Amino acid sequence: MSSRIVILGAGTGGTLIANRLRRSLPADRASITVIDRDDRHVYQPGLLFVPFGLAHADDIVRPRSRQLHDGIDWVESAVERVETARDAVVLADGREVPYDVLIVATGAELAPEETEGLTGAGWGVSAFTFYDLPGASALAEALPLLDGGRLVVNIVDMPIKCPVAPLEFCFLADWFLRERGVRDAVELTLVTPLDGAFTKPVASAALGGLLEEKGVRLVTEFNTGEVAYGAGGRGGTITGYDGREQPFDLAAVIPAHGGAGYVLRSPGLGDALGFVPADPATLQSKAAPNVFAIGDASDLPVSKAGSVTHFEGEVLAGNVLRFLEGRPLDASYDGHANCFIETGFSKALLIDFNYDTEPLPGRFPGPAGLPLLKESRLNHLGKLMFQWFYWHTLLPGRDIPGIGAHMPTAGKHRPDGGPQTSTQKEDPTA
Amino acid sequence: MSTAIYAGVTVDVNDEGFLERPEQWTREIAVELARADGIAELTDRHWQVIEFMRQEFFAKGTGPTVRALGKSSGVSVKELYQLFPKGPAKTAAHIAGIPKPKGCI
């Protein structure tokens, strides 16, 4: 009997799970259909480099359909809603696509309109986001014109995609302004709802130290309430719910995130923010047993990052096969995440962590590997090389040699000599 | 874990003062927890949020974040901060007798 597997979204998660499943399932056992609203696949880690002229739009966009292997059906259409009660996806034009297994892989979307005033006169004039291609490209025009004043990097709310990207932006901005000889004339500030530079204590201390070293002011526990712009949208003030004010001449804003719009229109599928509640170890949704979620689209307590999606892919592919065969699911996804953090001047840091173990110093993936939580040129090369791996290894759904889905512990150590496993830090934005 | 007495009832609390067992909670306890958080009087709007927090907790196993509260409790984020100036999700969870909302990444 042939099963119908439908995958919503052809980003990192949708593409890699489609390709993995196609390799494991003969065509007579399952059809695989991937649906996305457009045919432009953006290499999202590349967005960070665009404002600094280190990458251009052409370098980081490829057709989505070209990343899907033979034997996968491609449908270019927006989704109106999913009806899990009758196993059907309703497309924007009313057509219906029935499924036996549905995988939600539509990622996270930016919601700048949720912040009062943000999308007013200064949006695209003095306030930009580098979290999408138009915003990052517009910032690439504005940043070279900044010769002095206040540059504010503002995280509106958590969760966000790639929680380290705002830090990387600060490090690169510091480098960029120094290269242009105007660093002393610019006050650079990171404004975050977190109580430190990052969500996990050991990395937060290390990254906070780097910010200080580079002269980046850190404003914490700041819950953005509204943005008001000056005349002609030039400059403005970000005001927190507690009344604190952050004036800026140029702002790089990371807007609030939510799930794809159709999730909220699909009865029982998503939470209040449009993310899909799913089992953190099996990736099966809470909405229905034949619905799974991968990547940024889920509500899992993990970073919304490509590495997470890659590691989830291995477990999810196995679980879809198990589900089709009526076998129990494999509850083995451990929350593994791995991120290079660009720190400017051709250096980068690497962090590796999971649900139970916060990012620790040491080496990855073993004692002879890349240095963890420490700046090095090797990590910077790793970050640049990752783009090749993304198109040629991650998206085809292959494993990276020597790096498995589960977090390695060899080569890591706690700075205080304590046990590696730590409890998760409480959410200070709550 | 230790215990505390609110409204004449002995309840289990964690080291941050959050109730360990939400079923021990009563409205009278909430009034005293609110005073400890600097809220002298709980209005109908406070109660709307507190009751919503408890419903969400018992349905989903965790309290909602501020933004989720703003979208689904019927009280806007702006008003939430007016009602619970020290941080709505955390303070309302404390008063509602449910655990502090879980960490984000």
Side-chain angles (χ1 to χ4, degrees):
Chain A
M1 196 192 86
S2 180
S3 302
R4 297 160 300 181
I5 299 172
V6 173
I7 299 168
L8 300 182
T12 311
T15 303
L16 68 83
I17 196 66
N19 290 335
R20 270 185 189 273
L21 288 171
R22 189 67 293 167
R23 234 185 358 263
S24 350
L25 286 167
D28 60 350
R29 265 192 67 201
S31 66
I32 299 175
T33 303
V34 179
I35 303 172
D36 202 302
R37 63 187 166 191
D38 63 49
D39 196 18
R40 285 164 57 81
H41 186 129
V42 178
Y43 173 65
Q44 295 192 70
L47 290 172
L48 170 71
F49 295 102
V50 172
F52 306 101
L54 299 171
H56 298 278
D58 299 346
D59 308 332
I60 60 173
V61 184
R62 296 186 183 187
R64 295 185 192 277
S65 49
R66 294 273 297 277
Q67 315 311 318
L68 298 170
H69 292 173
D70 288 349
I72 296 170
D73 299 319
W74 162 247
V75 176
E76 193 175 324
S77 167
V79 171
E80 173 55 29
R81 66 184 180 278
V82 175
E83 296 197 11
T84 54
R86 46 186 202 93
D87 297 337
V89 176
V90 181
L91 301 181
D93 63 5
R95 271 183 300 161
E96 295 205 359
V97 183
Y99 62 81
D100 298 300
V101 169
L102 180 74
I103 298 170
V104 178
T106 31
E109 290 185 357
L110 307 178
E113 67 287 347
E114 277 194 34
T115 300
E116 204 176 319
L118 179 58
T119 53
W123 189 234
V125 176
S126 61
F128 303 85
T129 184
F130 59 96
Y131 267 55
D132 63 21
L133 198 46
S137 303
L139 195 49
E141 307 277 315
L143 205 52
L145 304 177
L146 184 74
D147 291 325
R150 298 182 177 104
L151 171 56
V152 170
V153 181
N154 175 217
I155 303 170
V156 169
D157 192 22
M158 298 296 284
I160 58 170
K161 291 187 269 193
C162 191
V164 297
L167 294 163
E168 298 180 282
F169 186 91
C170 290
F171 298 144
L172 285 173
D174 169 70
W175 162 80
F176 185 79
L177 295 167
R178 268 181 217 286
E179 293 286 296
R180 287 184 42 230
V182 296
R183 179 65 181 91
D184 291 342
V186 176
E187 184 186 68
L188 178 54
T189 309
L190 173 63
V191 178
T192 171
L194 298 172
D195 66 354
F198 192 57
T199 50
K200 311 279 187 159
V202 174
S204 188
L207 293 165
L210 262 182
L211 286 174
E212 206 176 321
E213 225 171 83
K214 293 175 189 289
V216 181
R217 270 179 70 222
L218 179 63
V219 174
T220 58
E221 295 183 77
F222 187 95
N223 295 293
T224 300
E226 62 176 306
V227 178
Y229 294 108
R234 277 182 212 88
T237 303
I238 303 169
T239 306
Y241 281 113
D242 61 3
R244 278 185 287 169
E245 293 187 344
Q246 297 295 331
F248 63 86
D249 295 291
L250 184 64
V253 179
I254 298 91
H257 284 40
Y262 75 85
V263 176
L264 289 174
R265 297 192 293 268
S266 305
L269 184 60
D271 63 16
L273 301 183
F275 295 115
V276 175
D279 183 285
T282 66
L283 307 172
Q284 187 176 41
S285 81
K286 310 245 167 101
N290 61 337
V291 177
F292 295 82
I294 185 170
D296 300 352
S298 84
D299 80 333
L300 261 55
V302 286
S303 291
K304 295 194 180 299
S307 66
V308 166
T309 308
H310 166 71
F311 297 132
E312 286 174 347
E314 198 176 319
V315 177
L316 178 57
N319 276 343
V320 170
L321 299 182
R322 283 160 176 268
F323 180 83
L324 290 175
E325 291 161 4
R327 290 189 292 137
L329 302 184
D330 168 26
S332 78
Y333 178 61
D334 65 353
H336 189 191
N338 178 292
C339 320
F340 287 106
I341 305 173
E342 190 71 11
T343 55
F345 300 94
S346 302
K347 288 186 181 176
L349 231 101
L350 177 65
I351 57 175
D352 188 70
F353 55 112
N354 70 8
Y355 287 137
D356 301 318
T357 306
E358 63 172 303
L360 295 173
R363 287 186 177 264
F364 173 87
L370 294 168
L372 287 165
L373 256 185
K374 202 175 139 201
E375 277 189 288
S376 83
R377 284 182 192 276
L378 207 55
N379 285 335
H380 168 69
L381 293 176
K383 175 133 187 150
L384 296 185
M385 230 163 64
F386 183 73
Q387 183 162 358
W388 189 91
F389 276 105
Y390 182 83
W391 297 110
H392 297 98
T393 305
L394 253 72
L395 293 185
R398 297 205 178 87
D399 300 329
I400 297 176
I403 301 173
H406 302 120
M407 190 199 76
T409 51
K412 292 184 184 175
H413 55 88
R414 282 195 72 85
D416 55 9
Q420 282 190 352
T421 300
S422 65
T423 50
Q424 195 166 22
K425 204 179 174 192
E426 305 271 6
D427 179 1
T429 65
Chain B
M1 195 174 76
S2 55
T3 59
I5 299 176
Y6 291 108
V9 183
T10 304
V11 294
D12 300 330
V13 294
N14 72 4
D15 50 12
E16 286 182 286
F18 283 77
L19 261 61
E20 289 276 345
R21 296 168 58 197
E23 64 278 11
Q24 291 180 327
W25 179 91
T26 64
R27 288 174 74 95
E28 291 71 33
I29 290 174
V31 171
E32 293 202 3
L33 289 168
R35 277 196 203 120
D37 288 332
I39 298 170
E41 197 196 332
L42 291 175
T43 64
D44 288 350
R45 297 298 274 171
H46 287 104
W47 281 115
Q48 186 173 333
V49 177
I50 292 164
E51 275 157 17
F52 182 81
M53 296 285 291
R54 286 185 66 81
Q55 270 171 29
E56 285 282 296
F57 174 77
F58 285 112
K60 295 177 183 164
T62 172
T65 63
V66 181
R67 217 163 113 236
L69 267 180
K71 284 178 187 290
S72 37
S73 70
V75 178
S76 72
V77 173
K78 200 168 190 169
E79 191 184 347
L80 283 165
Y81 275 95
Q82 288 160 2
L83 294 171
F84 305 96
K86 288 178 189 166
K90 197 165 132 185
T91 313
H94 181 239
I95 298 172
I98 63 172
K100 192 167 155 182
K102 288 242 174 62
C104 63
I105 300 296

